[in-house]
Amino acid sequence: MLDLEDIFGHGGPLEQALTGFKVRREQLLMAQRVAGALAARESLVVEAGTGTGKTFAYLVPALLCGVRVLISTGTRTLQDQLFSKDLPLVAAALGRPARVALLKGRANYLCRYRLARADEGGEQLRLAESAAARPRASQPMLARIRRWARTTRRGDLAEVRGLSDSHPVWPQITATRESCLGVRCPEISRCHVVLARREALDADIVIVNHHLLLADLALKEDGFGDLLGSADAIILDEAHQIPDLATQFFGAHVGSRQVELLLKDVRLELSARAAGAGQGASEAAEAVRTAEDALGEVRAASARPTGRFAWNPGDFAVSAAVQRLMQGLQALVAALAGADPQSALAQLGARTADLAASLARIAAIDELEGARTLEVTTRGFALSLMPFDISERFRALVQGRRGAWIFTSATLCLGEEFGHFTGRLGLTEAATLRIDSPFDHERQSLLYLPAGLPEPAAASYVPAVIDTAVPLIEAAGGGAFVLFTSHRALSQGAALLRARWADAAPYRLFVQGEAPRERLLQEFRADGNGVLLGTASFWEGVDVKGEALRLVVIEKLPFASPEDPLVRARIEHLTASGGNAFRDYQLPEAALALKQGTGRLIRSEDDYGVVVICDPRLLGRGYGRVFLAALPAMTVTQDPEDARRFLRRHAPRAAPRVRSASAP
């Protein structure tokens, strides 16, 4: 059998079979270390710089190790790429066919039962949205979905052209954990979720995403735990997302919409059984009315401008109303306790108990484990608890499964230190490996730190950023990302650019929020000379290779806003515990975010460009060296002419056409 050096080396099966494959020492190093961890069933944390080829570096050992492997990704895009492209290519190159399954959350699969009800224009559709509010576009999309439903094998809605998960028809044709009828469903024998899970149980390699993995770890969702328990190894790509996602899943969340739908479902089920109703049904109906009244009280007590606020359970008005809602739900649980265990009412009773328990946890006055927030929207409210520390719980989950755990991403450490990432997850004993990017950042890129800008808190700061960016955009001939740390700064920056360019913009402007994210990226790539303005969602997970992106301007250091109630609560908790919130939390989080943002620029050996970090604190404050240490080894300049010269040298030869300044 070929060893890893043969596989990844010159003349090996990967180079022979895969177009564009490049032999990289860094990729082999990662593959060897992953293979060792799989064999020893140990935990390993690997930071692999952009260009390492980390996907193949863990896929090859996963295919060769001979054990069941679960691969979890941060995005559905990568999940689909692994299943449809990368794994089949590598397996074919190695001559090692494997049974591979793709498993997503149930909301990604067509529910035949709900589609049939939508076909009938039945109750399910009317509950989802009123006929008056339903967009006309829903009916043609439903017709397309019906045609597709006759031939699809997997039922994955990603197969439907033009259907995004934000489309209003999506919730009408999918089931949630709460709305799924389970074994009582007349379509159970053809259920796509059941089929996907059955295939996953028979597979050698199963590809999931972090949300599904963490839902099982935290919530023990039915039907998936057996699969996780049978895995000998778990590989988590895009692992930098895990600490924040795990914090959400180990917390608690109750929204007004959840309660409304639950109470509506109970009412409908009680009405359907009215003919044989007894004392229990009467008590349940009374408990529903009590809970509905309490829900109205919470809504009234939480009436305020939209936004997220710190909620102290000692705030009497909201707390009293929440207490009554919790008691109403508990009374409903008791009223439904006598229902047939296989009935819909029993299922509704379990849903009610879950919500009541979550409310009790959030509302516990003497509980000090996390930050509590009240989020108010135009449609209702949501109460949340976010734990301050999940390390013990996550470590127990890892240690409770004796297989290998591999965590990998391009941004897991600061300098040589993994402590911030491993500490948050309790992985202090895990082996670590840092692999630098094989790209020549000193030759391919330039880091420009402009001098003389005002402090970021100044009213003149965003205009100064735009003044700095425009000559660089012109030198580059477009092809720029301008990344902001807030929506307010984004809006201000977009308005300033449009005012400056008026109706004769030399470059097409793409602004986050004015079109779907994927559409913005697709049209930005196709344009080649566009200027894209974005906030958090464009700092990571965005891959624009080639000349379309040659300039990244970062407005300021991405410290999380201390005005956010979750951030403020975490700072107060760390301070009260004797820690240093800035050193231990705010600074490392911001440095890792900056590392993600700068990583948008160089995505291949042929990319060139300039990263501009406008924030004067990078050189003016002592902590600036932490940020600089986190970045690739780029050549640094403070001379604007150096930056413009570099950009002009690598700008496309074709001059951009004059374009409209409007968004796509």
Side-chain angles (χ1 to χ4, degrees), residues 297-602:
E297 291 181 36
V298 179
R299 193 185 298 277
S302 61
R304 62 198 70 190
T306 58
R308 186 163 61 179
F309 309 92
W311 175 53
N312 182 340
D315 295 344
F316 180 75
V318 175
S319 297
V322 169
Q323 191 71 21
R324 282 190 286 274
L325 176 59
M326 183 176 64
Q327 291 168 349
L329 293 176
Q330 290 169 340
L332 181 56
V333 172
L336 298 175
D340 180 346
Q342 302 302 316
S343 69
L345 281 178
Q347 183 187 37
L348 291 168
R351 279 173 61 187
T352 308
D354 285 345
L355 278 181
S358 293
L359 267 183
R361 185 177 171 204
I362 296 169
I365 294 176
D366 60 347
E367 194 158 356
L368 301 175
E369 66 168 296
R372 293 167 179 79
T373 62
L374 166 66
E375 186 167 5
V376 179
T377 67
T378 55
R379 298 183 61 184
F381 65 86
L383 298 165
S384 299
L385 166 67
M386 299 284 274
F388 291 130
D389 186 356
I390 61 165
S391 59
E392 291 290 337
R393 189 168 179 184
F394 195 88
R395 179 169 63 236
L397 291 170
V398 171
Q399 292 178 341
R401 291 162 174 78
R402 295 180 177 271
W405 289 73
I406 314 293
F407 301 81
T408 185
S409 169
T411 49
L412 294 178
C413 66
L414 297 171
E416 300 289 337
E417 293 297 322
F418 285 85
H420 183 66
F421 175 80
T422 57
R424 288 189 67 185
L425 295 180
L427 303 174
T428 51
E429 298 177 2
T432 60
L433 174 65
R434 176 175 174 265
I435 300 175
D436 288 328
S437 168
F439 299 152
D440 188 350
H441 284 86
E442 286 192 82
R443 179 180 60 86
Q444 294 178 246
S445 62
L446 186 70
L447 175 59
Y448 172 43
L449 307 177
L453 269 72
E455 287 294 309
S460 60
Y461 185 70
V462 173
V465 169
I466 298 301
D467 288 341
T468 300
V470 167
L472 299 169
I473 294 170
E474 292 170 348
F481 273 10
V482 186
L483 301 178
F484 296 87
T485 57
S486 70
H487 289 282
R488 182 185 304 168
L490 168 69
S491 299
Q492 187 181 0
L496 288 166
L497 271 180
R498 286 188 167 127
R500 182 177 297 232
W501 287 338
D503 295 327
Y507 318 105
R508 190 174 178 191
L509 196 61
F510 302 87
V511 180
Q512 178 180 338
E514 295 182 359
R517 179 176 182 265
E518 290 308 315
R519 180 182 156 200
L520 287 174
L521 284 170
Q522 181 180 357
E523 297 195 14
F524 176 85
R525 291 187 188 101
D527 184 283
N529 296 311
V531 177
L532 186 149
L533 278 61
T535 56
S537 64
F538 285 90
W539 284 66
E540 66 170 279
V542 174
D543 193 9
V544 181
K545 294 179 181 177
E547 291 184 339
L549 180 60
R550 45 200 181 266
L551 172 65
V552 173
V553 180
I554 292 177
E555 171 224 359
K556 66 180 178 181
L557 300 177
F559 286 108
S561 171
E563 298 306 310
D564 182 287
L566 292 174
V567 175
R568 186 167 65 248
R570 185 176 289 275
I571 291 172
E572 291 172 354
H573 170 73
L574 288 170
T575 302
S577 304
N580 185 317
F582 181 77
R583 181 196 65 208
D584 300 334
Y585 168 54
Q586 294 167 281
L587 181 58
E589 289 286 301
L592 288 169
L594 183 68
K595 192 173 183 177
Q596 284 280 354
T598 58
R600 297 314 94 213
L601 183 64
I602 303 299

Side-chain angles (χ1 to χ4, degrees), residues 132-447:
R134 195 179 310 139
R136 294 179 183 273
S138 290
Q139 294 307 321
M141 180 56 74
L142 271 173
R144 180 184 299 174
I145 292 167
R146 290 182 199 118
R147 292 192 296 272
W148 163 79
R150 298 188 195 110
T151 58
T152 181
R153 190 186 73 82
R154 295 175 52 228
D156 186 345
L157 291 170
E159 299 171 359
V160 181
R161 179 174 49 85
L163 178 64
S164 70
D165 57 7
S166 60
H167 195 287
V169 80
W170 190 287
Q172 300 166 14
I173 58 169
T174 58
T176 64
R177 188 185 182 204
E178 291 79 15
S179 64
C180 177
L181 298 178
V183 295
R184 296 179 294 104
C185 180
E187 295 284 353
I188 187 69
S189 64
R190 299 197 301 157
C191 175
H192 291 299
V193 174
V194 172
L195 175 63
R197 288 179 172 171
R198 188 178 299 136
E199 289 182 346
L201 286 169
D202 293 334
D204 303 310
I205 296 179
V206 184
I207 305 168
V208 300
N209 59 59
H210 296 339
H211 282 86
L212 185 56
L213 173 68
L214 290 166
D216 179 68
L217 289 172
L219 305 175
K220 295 297 179 194
E221 182 170 353
D222 54 321
F224 186 54
D226 291 341
L227 173 67
L228 179 60
S230 65
D232 300 296
I234 300 175
I235 299 174
L236 299 97
D237 201 345
E238 300 175 313
H240 62 277
Q241 299 178 7
I242 293 294
D244 285 341
L245 288 174
T247 298
Q248 294 175 27
F249 277 98
F250 291 151
H253 177 91
V254 175
S256 55
R257 182 68 173 157
Q258 285 175 281
V259 181
E260 287 169 3
L261 289 176
L262 168 69
L263 297 178
K264 184 177 292 185
D265 287 348
V266 175
R267 272 195 180 281
L268 287 171
E269 191 62 29
L270 290 173
S271 297
R273 295 166 176 259
Q279 182 64 29
S282 175
E283 291 177 3
E286 179 61 31
V288 169
R289 285 191 292 272
T290 301
E292 286 174 336
D293 291 343
L295 181 63
E297 291 181 36
V298 179
R299 193 185 298 277
S302 61
R304 62 198 70 190
T306 58
R308 186 163 61 179
F309 309 92
W311 175 53
N312 182 340
D315 295 344
F316 180 75
V318 175
S319 297
V322 169
Q323 191 71 21
R324 282 190 286 274
L325 176 59
M326 183 176 64
Q327 291 168 349
L329 293 176
Q330 290 169 340
L332 181 56
V333 172
L336 298 175
D340 180 346
Q342 302 302 316
S343 69
L345 281 178
Q347 183 187 37
L348 291 168
R351 279 173 61 187
T352 308
D354 285 345
L355 278 181
S358 293
L359 267 183
R361 185 177 171 204
I362 296 169
I365 294 176
D366 60 347
E367 194 158 356
L368 301 175
E369 66 168 296
R372 293 167 179 79
T373 62
L374 166 66
E375 186 167 5
V376 179
T377 67
T378 55
R379 298 183 61 184
F381 65 86
L383 298 165
S384 299
L385 166 67
M386 299 284 274
F388 291 130
D389 186 356
I390 61 165
S391 59
E392 291 290 337
R393 189 168 179 184
F394 195 88
R395 179 169 63 236
L397 291 170
V398 171
Q399 292 178 341
R401 291 162 174 78
R402 295 180 177 271
W405 289 73
I406 314 293
F407 301 81
T408 185
S409 169
T411 49
L412 294 178
C413 66
L414 297 171
E416 300 289 337
E417 293 297 322
F418 285 85
H420 183 66
F421 175 80
T422 57
R424 288 189 67 185
L425 295 180
L427 303 174
T428 51
E429 298 177 2
T432 60
L433 174 65
R434 176 175 174 265
I435 300 175
D436 288 328
S437 168
F439 299 152
D440 188 350
H441 284 86
E442 286 192 82
R443 179 180 60 86
Q444 294 178 246
S445 62
L446 186 70
L447 175 59

